[in-house]
Amino acid sequence: MTTSNRKANIQCEIQKVWDTIAGARDYAKWQSDVSKTVAEDEKRFKVSTKDGYETVFTVTAAKAPERLELDVENSHIKGHWILVLTSKGCETEIDFTASVTAKKLQTRPVGKGVFEKTYLEKEQTRLIADLKRALE
């Protein structure tokens, strides 16, 4: 399992940031790689990329407007994301910790670690950039 942490400040009040990240049905409106989101129930939703790749998210903890935890799984990875929001007046700090394990590279530890790190960096960077673009 590989873990990565990214922090960023978003020029937006915490409640609006929370509403955006917790509003899974609207992910396609602000996430650059998402084409649609389908809610399976109140805690599970499936996100499809513009290439048709699907990832299932399960909310494991939510404390509005401060903390959202999600289990994440698709055909390549399984993991857990933690997004912690801290109000700084008209600005919000997002502290995004994500851990994943590659499913298909179990026998090649070096390749597995590189894949996991690359996946995490790409997802965290894109999510933060998309949030900034949508909210600032």
Side-chain angles (χ1 to χ4, degrees):
M1 179 174 285
T2 300
T3 300
S4 177
N5 177 265
R6 294 269 194 276
K7 290 183 181 180
N9 290 319
I10 299 173
Q11 301 297 316
C12 188
E13 293 181 3
I14 192 170
Q15 189 62 51
K16 191 167 183 181
V17 176
W18 173 262
D19 291 344
T20 302
I21 65 169
R25 288 184 174 93
D26 293 330
Y27 281 2
K29 292 180 183 176
W30 64 272
Q31 286 193 28
S32 60
D33 67 327
V34 174
S35 65
K36 71 177 179 176
T37 304
V38 177
E40 295 181 357
D41 58 42
E42 288 185 16
K43 297 218 179 221
R44 284 176 54 99
F45 56 96
K46 189 180 295 183
V47 173
S48 297
T49 66
K50 292 178 179 175
D51 296 331
Y53 195 75
E54 294 183 342
T55 300
V56 175
F57 291 84
T58 304
V59 176
T60 58
K63 182 183 176 193
E66 301 159 350
R67 186 179 187 94
L68 180 63
E69 295 191 33
L70 305 153
D71 283 342
V72 181
E73 186 167 5
N74 60 37
S75 61
H76 296 291
I77 59 96
K78 183 174 184 170
H80 190 73
W81 290 6
I82 302 170
L83 296 106
V84 177
L85 306 178
T86 304
S87 178
K88 304 214 174 199
C90 293
E91 183 175 275
T92 302
E93 179 184 78
I94 184 167
D95 184 344
F96 182 7
T97 303
S99 302
V100 297
T101 299
K103 290 180 169 181
K104 297 183 177 187
L105 300 169
Q106 302 294 347
T107 59
R108 296 179 17 219
V110 172
K112 178 181 178 220
V114 170
F115 172 80
E116 291 168 350
K117 183 175 186 215
T118 302
Y119 172 84
L120 289 172
E121 288 175 356
K122 180 177 134 190
E123 291 301 309
Q124 288 176 304
T125 299
R126 182 175 43 233
L127 180 83
I128 289 170
D130 287 348
L131 263 174
K132 284 184 172 188
R133 188 186 75 252
L135 296 172
E136 293 185 339

